[in-house]
Amino acid sequence: FDTWLRPTWLDGEGEGEVRVATANPFAVDWIRSRYGEVLEEILIQEVGGPVRLTLVHRARTAGEALD
C-alpha cells in the first residue's frame, strides 16, 4: 500500500471520470493491472452510477500537499 497507492492523489473528476495521478510512471500500469477493476467498482458504488477510473503519471505541483 505505502509503495503504490499512498503516493497517489485525486487529479480531477467529472464527465463520468475520476482521474488519479502518481509521480511514478511504473505505478500507473501496476495499479491498473492489479487494482483497476476493484477500484472502479468501488467508485461506481460510491458515486452511485457509471464512472471510469483513469490513472495518469505526472509530478505534483508545489501547491499540492502530500497526504
Side-chain angles (χ1 to χ4, degrees), residues 25-65:
F26 181 72
V28 171
D29 290 330
W30 193 92
I31 294 167
R32 185 180 294 126
S33 68
R34 287 167 179 80
Y35 295 106
E37 287 182 30
V38 171
L39 292 171
E40 205 163 80
E41 288 174 18
I42 292 168
L43 285 169
I44 289 168
Q45 290 175 8
E46 290 296 315
V47 172
V51 65
R52 181 179 69 253
L53 172 65
T54 302
L55 294 158
V56 297
H57 161 246
R58 77 169 183 80
R60 281 187 190 265
T61 62
E64 292 174 318

Side-chain angles (χ1 to χ4, degrees), residues 10-24:
L10 179 64
D11 192 47
E13 59 183 306
E15 302 292 325
E17 175 191 31
V18 172
R19 192 172 53 254
V20 174
T22 178
N24 179 342

